[in-house]
Structures are given as C-alpha cells and as structure tokens.
Amino acid sequence: RDFCLSRGLGDVYKRQVHTTHGLQVVIEDYVHNRKAEMISLMLIKAVAAFLSVAAIVSVLRIVFAGA
C-alpha cells in the first residue's frame, strides 16, 4: 500500500513538472509583455507549489487514516 501511494505521488509530481514546464515555454514564446510574462510565470509556480502541497497532504491523510 505504501509503495502504491509513493508511486502515485511520484506520478503526480512528474505531471506537475511537465505541465509547469510546458506552460512556461508557451508563455515565454507567446507573451511579449515582460511584466505580464513575469506575473504569469510566478502564478504558474505558485499554483504548482499549492498543488504539490495538496497532493502531499492528501497522501498523508490516506496513510495516517489507515493507521
């Protein structure tokens, strides 16, 4: 069970990294206003950090609820 949870969390992390990088490339290529680009990149990083924390909290709740 712990292995499955760990693997699932790893998969979530990999998807977030790929999604964040993909969005960053699109923003850098298509947003020509430097201020809007910086704000967009910071927003993407903040959302990715929030989702990472939410995923970790969810896994910990599952692990400790079964204990």
Side-chain angles (χ1 to χ4, degrees), residues 1-6 62-67:
R1 179 177 175 185
D2 290 337
F3 172 75
C4 292
L5 290 173
S6 175
I62 292 168
V63 169
F64 290 115

Side-chain angles (χ1 to χ4, degrees), residues 15-29 44:
R15 282 189 208 110
Q16 287 177 351
V17 168
H18 290 291
T19 301
T20 302
H21 181 65
L23 288 171
Q24 181 177 348
V25 168
V26 169
I27 288 170
E28 289 173 351
D29 287 347
I44 288 171

Side-chain angles (χ1 to χ4, degrees), residues 3 5 7-9 11 13 15-16 21 26-27 30 35 38 41 44-46 48 51 53 55 57 61 64:
F3 172 75
L5 290 173
R7 182 175 171 145
L9 186 57
D11 290 345
Y13 175 74
R15 282 189 208 110
Q16 287 177 351
H21 181 65
V26 169
I27 288 170
Y30 294 104
K35 186 175 180 181
M38 294 305 295
L41 292 174
I44 288 171
K45 301 248 184 228
L51 292 175
V53 170
V57 168
R61 288 182 71 184
F64 290 115

